[in-house]
């Protein structure tokens, strides 16, 4: 008989998280207690926010259902390893749609993983090669989890940083947010040595160290980390306006474009759409990104992008060879 109530509740919760209905008698046998104790434990779980549904009758029992809030989950060893491996694989590449919440989840999970499970996660990851849709540089998951933990805990972060020209420096920061652009991860932080806000490419960060020193978050000038990063990138690269017409409905084009290209606007009775956006960086990259949609399109402006697309098409045609 399980006399330790907290341990019994965790065991009961683990059983209920299996997607099936559990008869009261079977739960009582599993836990080594009476059916009355099972009913009391079910009531305790409900008080903690777990939506346990009971059905009456000879075939009745208990099962977890979807509730209004997300209560804590209890994972067994195999489930914890599977989730950690999946989050690590995704976090190592700035896949579009994978935001800071995923990295925070990985940080929380790895913080409580026993060493034996952490070793299994590392072994599994090193033995596999993911085929990812992201084309940015890979990043050690440990780097992201350390950063995410300091962002969530308002904890000062030190790290080594390599600039684009190869210059190596040590930075002491108050991390604000991690931002994914779909190709890369960036850290928006207040640089204590330079007394100003900065953005850092995470793939150029090494030796991240959480100092343990807490800080009160400062007010970001733009109020939004993604907007601050966008403006920062525009300052580094000359920005330009693009207008591109896709010969496909807006709802078919939107999922194929990065968020920084904005939302397609329907035209010509919704059979086509136009994309208008302010972008920065090489026009070659913009041309290539448009081509990867696999859809028919025409660039209206700027002239530099029109010429770049024309040259790209000719180059690809030559690469295919005669015929």
């Amino acid at each position: 008989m399980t006399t330790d109530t907290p341990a019994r509740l965790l065991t009961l919760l683990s059983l209920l998280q299996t997607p099936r209905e559990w008869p009261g008698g079977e739960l009582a046998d599993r836990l080594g207690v009476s059916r009355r104790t099972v009913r009391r434990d079910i009531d305790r779980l409900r008080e903690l926010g777990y939506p346990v549904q009971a059905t009456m009758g000879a075939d009745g029992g208990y099962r977890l259902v979807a509730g209004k809030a997300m209560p804590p989950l209890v994972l067994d060893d195999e489930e914890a390893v599977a989730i950690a491996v999946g989050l690590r694989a995704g976090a190592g590449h700035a896949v579009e749609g994978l935001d800071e919440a995923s990295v925070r989840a990985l940080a929380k999970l790895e913080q409580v993983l026993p060493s034996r499970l952490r070793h299994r996660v590392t072994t599994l990851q090193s033995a596999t090669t993911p085929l990812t849709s992201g084309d940015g540089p890979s990043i050690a998951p440990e780097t992201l989890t350390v950063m995410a933990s300091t962002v969530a805990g308002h904890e000062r972060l030190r790290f080594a940083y390599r600039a684009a020209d190869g210059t190596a420096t040590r930075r002491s920061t108050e991390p604000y947010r991690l931002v994914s652009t779909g190709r890369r991860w960036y850290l928006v932080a207040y640089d204590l040595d330079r007394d100003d806000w900065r953005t850092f490419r995470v793939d150029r960060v090494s030796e991240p160290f959480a100092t343990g020193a807490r800080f009160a978050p400062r007010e970001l000038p733009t109020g939004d980390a993604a907007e601050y990063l966008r403006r920062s990138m525009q300052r580094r690269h000359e920005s330009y306006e693009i207008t591109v017409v896709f010969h496909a409905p807006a709802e078919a084009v939107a999922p194929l474009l990065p968020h920084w290209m904005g939302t397609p606007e329907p035209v010509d009775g919704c059979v086509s759409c136009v994309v208008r956006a302010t972008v920065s960086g090489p026009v070659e990259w913009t041309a290539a990104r448009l081509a990867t949609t696999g859809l028919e399109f025409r660039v209206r402006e700027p002239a530099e992008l029109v010429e770049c697309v024309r040259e790209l098409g000719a180059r690809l045609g030559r690469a295919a060879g005669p015929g």
Side-chain angles (χ1 to χ4, degrees), residues 252-275:
V253 176
L256 303 176
L257 293 178
H259 61 83
W260 46 266
M261 281 192 179
T263 303
E265 304 170 10
V267 294
D268 298 334
C270 297
V271 297
S272 299
C273 63
V274 60
V275 173

Side-chain angles (χ1 to χ4, degrees), residues 7-262:
R8 190 177 65 247
L9 286 176
L10 287 174
T11 303
L12 174 60
L13 180 58
S14 180
L15 292 172
L16 290 174
Q17 285 179 169
T18 304
R20 55 162 289 192
E21 189 166 284
W22 288 87
E26 186 174 350
L27 288 176
D29 292 340
R30 287 287 192 106
L31 298 173
V33 297
S34 67
R35 294 193 180 198
R36 182 179 179 182
T37 299
V38 169
R39 288 194 294 270
R40 286 202 303 264
D41 287 349
I42 292 292
D43 289 338
R44 290 190 181 100
L45 289 179
R46 288 170 174 160
E47 291 172 0
L48 293 173
Y50 292 95
V52 183
Q53 185 180 75
T55 55
M56 306 301 292
D59 298 326
Y62 303 95
R63 64 187 181 94
L64 276 178
V65 297
K68 296 181 179 179
M70 176 68 185
L73 298 177
V74 176
L75 304 174
D76 62 27
D77 286 5
E78 300 301 324
E79 293 166 341
V81 169
I83 292 174
V85 170
L87 288 173
R88 273 178 164 236
H93 299 264
V95 181
E96 191 168 352
L98 178 73
D99 58 14
E100 186 189 346
S102 300
V103 181
R104 291 202 311 270
L106 177 59
K108 290 178 180 178
L109 181 59
E110 294 206 339
Q111 182 180 3
V112 298
L113 276 182
S115 58
R116 57 186 174 81
L117 296 187
R118 192 175 293 110
H119 175 71
R120 286 179 59 187
V121 170
T122 303
T123 301
L124 278 171
Q125 189 184 30
S126 63
T128 59
T129 301
L131 179 63
T132 63
S133 59
D135 55 1
S138 60
I139 302 168
E142 293 83 359
T143 298
L144 281 172
T145 55
V146 170
M147 289 184 164
S149 296
T150 57
V151 168
H154 305 313
E155 185 177 351
R156 288 183 176 177
L157 175 71
R158 291 203 304 262
F159 52 85
Y161 192 70
R162 175 181 50 81
D165 61 3
T167 303
T169 55
R170 305 286 303 185
R171 315 303 274 268
S172 180
T173 66
E174 293 178 353
Y176 185 80
R177 287 289 187 278
L178 281 166
V179 181
S180 170
T181 65
R183 296 177 60 217
R184 296 187 177 96
W185 282 102
Y186 289 86
L187 173 69
V188 176
Y190 191 85
D191 192 319
L192 295 171
D193 296 323
R194 288 153 182 79
D195 196 23
D196 199 3
W197 290 94
R198 291 288 189 273
T199 59
F200 302 94
R201 269 180 50 174
V202 177
D203 59 293
R204 293 177 179 167
V205 170
S206 61
E207 304 173 43
F209 176 71
T211 65
R214 306 290 176 176
F215 65 89
R218 303 169 190 261
E219 184 177 352
L220 191 66
T222 60
D224 178 77
E227 176 63 16
Y228 182 84
L229 176 62
R230 186 185 69 82
R231 295 185 186 182
S232 176
M233 295 177 71
Q234 286 182 352
R235 288 195 298 268
R236 297 176 196 167
H237 305 284
E238 183 179 354
S239 60
Y240 49 94
E241 303 288 333
I242 66 169
T243 302
V244 182
V245 176
F246 281 90
H247 304 301
E251 58 269 21
V253 176
L256 303 176
L257 293 178
H259 61 83
W260 46 266
M261 281 192 179

